């Protein structure tokens, strides 16, 4: 599906098909494509390029290797303690990038996720902010924020109930449990589950059918219609989540949550203090 216009960047691969599909592939397989400033910068640059290119009609997002995006790039136990233990606020843009996941919903072109493997934390938020999702059989999903001492980040508390319903969203957010692609399909989070070796073929068949047969102008208007009224609150929800995230980074829960994860042990979170 490659053309002469294909570009390879260090953190994200960009391909363009003759039918007008841009494929962005997260390219940090050695760390399971965990989200960091390198991926964020290249990812949003790729989206900008696809959005500005009149030949592009559909955008596909996937990951290289065993994961789609296995959450944020946490680093080592030592770096977690050093960066979070000093009580200072972090510049989250260094990790998340200069935009937030709901940016995907503002694009005029449909964005389709091909979830090839682990889809966790901010990786799950990014996938849910895509318009349509396909997943490889057995791919693991998790909204694992509570198990890291964090809160529901960057608009996932807005999008997840809208896709899966209130009860299912609270189950996934409060438990932080891992669930598989098959359950994700039952909950309406993915359109279809396919064998891993067929994932990109099925996703590209869908994307190229849309690119070939749907009006770009119509799709742009339909996206604005679909997200329109609901989008009034996502900016507020995302901004509030950032404030709560900064507050959570000052608590010992986040150090314990991340450290225990890196040490592969159960976390020992402090009890909740009573309110007066």
């Amino acid at each position: 599906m490659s053309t002469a216009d294909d570009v390879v960047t260090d953190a994200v691969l960009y391909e363009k098909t003759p039918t007008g599909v841009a494929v962005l592939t997260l390219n940090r397989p050695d760390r399971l494509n965990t989200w960091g400033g390198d991926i964020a910068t290249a990812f949003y640059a790729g989206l900008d390029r696809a959005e500005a290119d009149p030949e592009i009609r559909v955008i596909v997002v996937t990951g290289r290797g065993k994961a789609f995006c296995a959450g944020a790039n946490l680093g080592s136990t030592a770096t977690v303690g050093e960066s979070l233990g000093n009580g200072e606020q972090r510049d989250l843009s260094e990790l998340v990038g200069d935009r937030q996941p709901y940016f995907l919903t503002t694009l005029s072109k449909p964005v389709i996720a091909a979830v090839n493997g682990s889809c966790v934390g901010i990786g799950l938020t990014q996938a849910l902010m895509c318009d349509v999702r396909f997943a490889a059989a057995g791919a693991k999903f998790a909204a694992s924020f509570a198990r890291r001492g964090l809160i529901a980040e960057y608009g996932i508390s807005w999008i997840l109930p809208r896709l899966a319903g209130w009860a299912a969203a609270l189950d996934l957010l409060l438990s932080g449990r891992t669930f598989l692609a098959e359950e994700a399909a039952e909950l309406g989070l993915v359109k279809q589950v396919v064998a891993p070796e067929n994932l990109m073929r099925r996703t590209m068949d869908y994307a190229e059918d849309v690119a070939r047969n749907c009006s770009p102008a119509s799709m742009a208007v339909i996206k604005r219609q679909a997200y329109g009224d609901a989008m009034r609150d996502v900016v507020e929800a995302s901004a509030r989540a950032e404030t709560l995230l900064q507050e959570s980074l000052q608590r010992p829960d986040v150090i314990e949550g991340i450290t225990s994860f890196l040490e592969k042990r159960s976390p020992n979170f402090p009890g909740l203090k009573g309110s007066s």
Side-chain angles (χ1 to χ4, degrees):
M1 65 181 175
S2 300
T3 74
D5 292 328
D6 293 352
V7 170
V8 177
T9 61
D10 190 25
V12 176
L13 310 182
Y14 186 102
E15 297 177 273
K16 175 180 175 179
T17 74
T19 53
V21 178
V23 182
L24 278 65
T25 305
L26 307 188
N27 187 36
R28 285 290 185 264
D30 55 316
R31 67 176 203 232
L32 300 179
N33 296 320
T34 48
W35 195 265
D38 54 344
I39 284 181
T41 299
F43 180 67
Y44 289 120
L47 291 178
D48 287 344
R49 178 182 176 185
E51 181 78 348
D53 186 345
E55 295 182 355
I56 297 299
R57 295 168 177 252
V58 180
I59 301 168
V60 169
V61 178
T62 191
R64 182 177 166 219
K66 298 180 179 179
F68 177 78
C69 174
N73 185 23
L74 303 177
S76 65
T77 300
T79 58
V80 168
E82 180 181 353
S83 61
L84 297 179
N86 57 18
E88 296 179 358
Q89 289 197 353
R90 295 189 66 188
D91 181 3
L92 295 176
S93 65
E94 294 180 2
L95 175 64
V96 178
D98 60 356
R99 298 171 230 186
Q100 297 186 9
Y102 75 82
F103 175 74
L104 290 166
T105 69
T106 71
L107 297 173
S108 65
K109 300 170 184 181
V111 184
I112 303 168
V115 181
N116 56 298
S118 296
C119 184
V120 178
I122 194 170
L124 176 60
T125 306
Q126 292 283 6
L128 296 183
M129 292 295 183
C130 294
D131 303 307
V132 180
R133 287 154 295 281
F134 293 86
K140 294 181 179 180
F141 294 73
S144 54
F145 310 106
R147 297 193 179 212
R148 307 290 177 263
L150 296 168
I151 52 84
E153 298 173 355
Y154 296 111
I156 195 170
S157 60
W158 177 84
I159 190 67
L160 188 53
R162 284 165 168 78
L163 295 175
W166 192 260
L170 284 176
D171 161 39
L172 299 177
L173 289 169
L174 294 176
S175 72
R177 66 181 177 84
T178 297
F179 57 102
L180 300 181
E182 291 72 14
E183 183 178 356
E186 293 175 1
L187 294 173
L189 299 182
V190 301
K191 171 179 170 55
Q192 186 178 3
V193 177
V194 298
E197 63 271 20
N198 296 329
L199 176 64
M200 285 307 296
R201 183 187 315 139
R202 175 68 183 99
T203 304
M204 293 303 296
D205 284 347
Y206 180 92
E208 292 188 335
D209 176 69
V210 171
R212 288 190 185 102
N213 297 301
C214 297
S215 160
S218 293
M219 290 191 291
V221 173
I222 288 169
K223 278 196 68 167
R224 290 200 301 271
Q225 287 177 292
Y227 290 110
D229 290 339
M231 278 296 294
R232 292 178 182 174
D233 291 334
V234 68
V235 178
E236 180 181 352
S238 193
R240 176 60 177 160
E242 185 168 9
T243 299
L244 294 172
L245 179 59
Q246 287 285 4
E247 292 177 0
S248 74
L249 294 176
Q250 308 309 308
R251 295 194 291 269
D253 301 55
V254 66
I255 297 177
E256 172 61 12
I258 295 174
T259 300
S260 62
F261 171 70
L262 294 170
E263 294 178 350
K264 303 185 184 304
R265 60 173 175 81
S266 297
N268 183 25
F269 293 127
L272 186 65
K273 296 180 180 180
S275 57
S276 55

